[in-house]
Amino acid sequence: MSYLNNNEPLVSIIVPVYNSGDYIKGTLMRLLNQSYKNIEVVVVDDGSTDQTLKVINEISYDGRLKLVQQFHSGVSIARNTGMNNSSGKFISFVDSDDFVSKDYVSVLMRPFLSKNNKSIVMSIGKFKTVDRPQNNFIDKKTMIEMNPSQALEQLLMQKDDTDVSLWSRIYRVSSLNGLRVNEGIVFEDLDYNVRYLAGLDDKSVVAFVDAVVLEYYQRTDSIMHRNFTDEEMTILQVVDNVTLAVENSDIGVRRALNNKLISTLAGVYSRSVIDDASYDKQMLLYHCLSELSKNFTLKKPRTLKSVLIVMALHLGKSFSKIILCMAYKATKKI
């Protein structure tokens, strides 16, 4: 079956999957039933051992679905594999359990299809975190445009139901300049988007669409719900990567990043203490958190959460450890 529409540029949707057999069919069917038809759905199976492949093969009759298999290597490598096997001039990332609007692609492509769109490199929609699908997608059919620095600050501060995640957005492939996801790290979405946006020139435009396009279901095996693992120590590499990426950025971007890193690292450090990671690992995380707090300022942009974290750190290691862990247990948020 052909859905080719010469008036619609091809959009590649990358979906990494691993043991997603219980919910992958619903995700893929919502993508294949998009109102915007000229898409390819690149499913990268990361070595699943359950019924995932069987489910995918049952709907392989749709020629827009492309299955790529690899040995179990992690979600970052799976996303890169998907990018390397995609053909579209535009690209989007969707997780295997995301609940997307039937107009997900058409809404996010709206800025790219408008007049004077050549400078637009990225289109971002809103998302809602839910405990079950609500199918409550509101489209106000308006958008605002920002330069990359303004957009990065907006995302780092998580304003207006946006974040530095990889989903709920579409990238113009040519603007990526071959940029790939750093492999073997946690918070790879933060790492990727900071490096991407910080590397764009001021003539580039990021469009924020005033529409909820995705409902994000936080599963019990997500980072914030599982026990601390050594993999999370790679947050230290992420801190180095993104700090270097923004060294020449506006002061507002650097403050927003510092705010985001303090909040994120406080969560990782708290988990390392709660789950009894080695003393050396706890100290490495605590030292990095303390160093970040030295650059913290009450000048905006900043959040109340980061202010409270820095205040706790000023009480000394013993007291701050107790306070941060109690707060983390109470909120379970990074």
Side-chain angles (χ1 to χ4, degrees):
M1 183 180 296
S2 175
Y3 292 91
L4 183 62
N5 183 337
N6 291 328
N7 295 321
E8 293 182 343
L10 179 64
V11 178
S12 299
I13 305 173
I14 311 300
V15 187
V17 298
Y18 177 68
N19 289 349
S20 308
D22 290 341
Y23 41 82
I24 186 59
K25 183 175 182 179
T27 301
L28 294 181
M29 292 307 297
R30 285 189 292 274
L31 292 174
L32 294 172
N33 289 325
Q34 288 288 297
S35 58
Y36 187 103
K37 300 301 183 184
N38 197 20
I39 62 173
E40 63 170 4
V41 181
V42 184
V43 183
V44 182
D45 179 69
D46 190 33
S48 294
T49 57
D50 66 348
Q51 71 272 26
T52 296
L53 283 175
K54 179 177 180 294
V55 174
I56 294 172
N57 285 326
E58 288 175 353
I59 55 176
S60 61
Y61 56 83
D62 193 313
R64 297 172 301 165
L65 192 151
K66 179 190 295 185
L67 174 62
V68 182
Q69 294 178 256
Q70 65 179 31
F71 292 110
H72 185 50
S73 307
V75 67
S76 295
I77 294 179
R79 288 188 174 121
N80 287 338
T81 298
M83 294 173 78
N84 294 338
N85 285 273
S86 64
S87 306
K89 292 184 178 181
F90 298 89
I91 199 166
S92 185
F93 298 94
V94 171
D95 287 344
S96 60
D97 56 351
D98 285 341
F99 194 82
V100 300
S101 160
K102 66 179 179 62
D103 298 317
Y104 175 87
V105 178
S106 63
V107 168
L108 291 177
M109 282 299 293
R110 193 183 296 152
F112 295 111
L113 300 178
S114 63
K115 294 180 180 179
N116 303 318
N117 66 76
K118 292 184 179 179
S119 297
I120 297 178
V121 297
M122 187 183 195
S123 172
I124 302 173
K126 297 181 177 182
F127 72 92
K128 296 289 186 183
T129 301
V130 297
D131 54 9
R132 62 181 183 277
Q134 298 175 359
N135 202 26
N136 187 22
F137 301 109
I138 300 172
D139 180 7
K140 295 185 178 179
K141 301 186 184 300
T142 60
M143 70 175 187
I144 59 173
E145 297 180 354
M146 297 185 183
N147 66 37
S149 292
Q150 293 168 328
L152 182 52
E153 183 177 325
Q154 168 105 347
L155 295 173
L156 288 168
M157 298 305 294
Q158 297 176 278
K159 295 180 180 178
D160 298 326
D161 297 320
T162 62
D163 199 352
V164 284
S165 58
L166 286 168
W167 24 259
S168 75
R169 62 208 60 196
I170 287 180
Y171 302 81
R172 188 187 295 272
V173 171
S174 61
S175 73
L176 299 176
N177 291 316
L179 186 69
R180 292 296 183 262
V181 181
N182 275 331
E183 299 172 354
I185 60 172
V186 294
F187 304 104
E188 71 282 351
D189 45 2
L190 167 64
D191 178 276
Y192 188 83
N193 278 312
V194 171
R195 291 188 295 120
Y196 167 65
L197 287 167
L200 295 172
D201 60 50
D202 286 338
K203 294 180 181 179
S204 300
V205 175
V206 178
F208 286 83
V209 181
D210 193 358
V212 177
V213 297
L214 180 146
E215 292 179 344
Y216 170 62
Y217 174 52
Q218 198 159 60
R219 308 191 70 81
T220 55
D221 58 354
S222 66
I223 283 179
M224 66 176 285
H225 289 294
R226 70 191 186 199
N227 290 337
F228 179 86
T229 65
D230 288 346
E231 179 189 24
E232 290 184 71
M233 293 301 295
T234 61
I235 184 62
L236 301 177
Q237 179 185 337
V238 173
V239 170
D240 289 341
N241 291 347
V242 296
T243 301
L244 178 62
V246 304
E247 63 178 356
N248 295 319
S249 298
D250 295 343
I251 185 64
V253 170
R254 299 200 302 274
R255 286 174 180 163
L257 178 62
N258 181 256
N259 182 92
K260 177 67 174 177
L261 291 177
I262 286 172
S263 177
T264 302
L265 194 58
V268 177
Y269 168 68
S270 298
R271 277 198 304 279
S272 76
V273 175
I274 293 168
D275 295 327
D276 200 25
S278 72
Y279 178 77
D280 288 344
K281 290 184 174 65
Q282 292 182 32
M283 286 307 299
L284 283 171
L285 294 169
Y286 183 83
H287 175 73
C288 184
L289 187 56
S290 297
E291 289 298 308
L292 288 171
S293 71
K294 293 177 182 178
N295 296 321
F296 183 78
T297 173
L298 289 176
K299 294 181 180 179
K300 294 182 178 181
R302 48 102 177 102
T303 62
L304 176 60
K305 181 178 180 180
S306 59
V307 171
L308 294 176
I309 291 170
V310 172
M311 288 176 61
L313 290 170
H314 286 166
L315 297 176
K317 180 175 178 295
S318 298
F319 282 113
S320 62
K321 178 169 70 172
I322 295 171
I323 293 171
L324 292 175
C325 289
M326 288 177 61
Y328 180 79
K329 287 180 177 178
T331 63
K332 278 274 185 172
K333 290 182 179 179
I334 295 178

